[in-house]
Amino acid sequence: MKKILLCIVFMGFLTGCAVHTTVTEPESEPSVSTGRPEPAYDRLSIYSALPEEEILVYLNAFRKDTGITVDCQRLSAGEMIERVQQERENPRVSVILGGAADHYVQANEEGLLIPYQSPELSNVPEPCLDQAQVWNPIYIGVICLACNEDWFLQKTLPYPTCWDDLTAPELEGQIVLASPETSGTSYTMLAALMQQRGEEKAWEYLQMLDANVGCYTHSGIEPVEKVKQGEFAVGIVFSHDGRRAALDGYPVMLCYPEDGTGYEIGACALVRGGPVKERENAERFIDWMTSQRGQECYIEAKSSRLPANSTARSADGLPAMKDIKTVEYDLEWAGSNRTRLIDEFQRRFPGAQTRKSLS
């Protein structure tokens, strides 16, 4: 079993609706050489779980550097894996991008991925790497609580400092999180709680939390949108999504549970049976996303993601990882148990389906 807590310590710094996106105008500077000749075919098709505004930055920069235009469909992480499962006999895309590595563990167990390791992984700490050498790490994300500052100021209430604070009666109907069925963000939270508390106590906690949930959304980015607009007081999100809202000027405060929180290694991989004519471009894209150049685009995109490549600069003003208590997250266990845990969540919380956001 592979535990990724060591990865964060080793690095030592933090120093739905489907959206179709086709990049047509390059914007990023500067252009760099990828060490490969010009492509014989200049298109690539992918699915991505990253927010659309981020994807545009990365794909524009990639097109400028390589001349390859990427046709991208944006899906939640869970939907992305489900789509690849549905298309396994006739895959429509060559690459899946973003979402936690435990999704990729499951996809690989089902025979949906092709092993490919970028040469750029020589700059990634060993604990972050896939022992099966299938998926490629591109970032690290930490689960946090995105709080609406105006709501807490108006109610004169303290910000939550631990998971149990979310079950306080004052927060009844004020919590928003995504369904782990479709969201990689919420599945990371779910799997981390199971590993931290043990399954029995974790289900008991989730039962209490459910009493305060006013809305289950489709994707992991939606809780941020609802909190920043003042619709809810607290959203359970990845810190890079929450911090982007704060950088954009919204009244969002990020709180990290002092009793320990979950985290992900974000990944990308080749889809087994993807369009043959795109194969070279697909490898080239993964090489670019794992490179210093690709991961420093996180700064331009204001995503506040932690680069997995140790040579890449990260955004200023991020909290040090040593100041965030994390659980010992076993992503192999999380990937292997994903279907079982989601099925149990759906059985216990059928309301998570009826209370999904309609937006």
Side-chain angles (χ1 to χ4, degrees), residues 16 28 44 71 95 105 118 132 151 165 187 189 227 268 272 308 312 315 331 344:
S28 300
L44 175 65
D71 300 309
V95 173
V105 171
S118 166
W151 188 91
D165 286 350
Y187 180 71
M189 177 206 72
V227 168
C268 61
R272 184 177 297 279
L331 69 86
E344 182 64 12

Side-chain angles (χ1 to χ4, degrees), residues 298-316:
Y298 298 160
I299 300 173
E300 179 185 347
K302 296 193 295 184
S303 75
S304 299
R305 296 181 189 275
L306 270 172
N309 187 316
S310 60
T311 67
R313 293 176 298 118
S314 58
D316 295 333

Side-chain angles (χ1 to χ4, degrees), residues 118-131:
S118 166
E120 297 287 345
L121 299 188
S122 61
N123 295 316
V124 175
E126 191 279 333
C128 291
L129 299 175
D130 177 19
Q131 292 178 345

Side-chain angles (χ1 to χ4, degrees), residues 9 61 65 70 77 85 92 94 122-123 131 151 173 185 191 239 289-290 296 299 304 308 320 330 341-342 347 354 357:
V9 175
D65 291 350
V70 180
Q85 289 169 333
R92 294 186 175 184
S94 298
S122 61
N123 295 316
Q131 292 178 345
W151 188 91
T185 304
S239 58
M289 283 301 307
T290 53
E296 286 187 354
I299 300 173
S304 299
D330 186 336
L341 292 177
I342 289 175
R347 185 186 72 80
T354 60
S357 168

Side-chain angles (χ1 to χ4, degrees), residues 147-159 170-171 174 227 229-233 251:
C147 302
N148 184 281
E149 294 175 321
D150 293 341
W151 188 91
F152 280 90
L153 180 63
Q154 182 181 15
K155 299 293 184 179
T156 64
L157 291 173
Y159 292 114
E170 293 83 358
L171 288 173
Q174 289 296 327
V227 168
Q229 298 294 345
E231 297 178 45
F232 294 91

Side-chain angles (χ1 to χ4, degrees), residues 115-144:
Y116 177 73
Q117 297 286 271
S118 166
E120 297 287 345
L121 299 188
S122 61
N123 295 316
V124 175
E126 191 279 333
C128 291
L129 299 175
D130 177 19
Q131 292 178 345
Q133 298 189 333
V134 175
W135 50 264
N136 295 255
I138 55 174
Y139 63 85
I140 295 173
V142 182
I143 295 290
C144 74

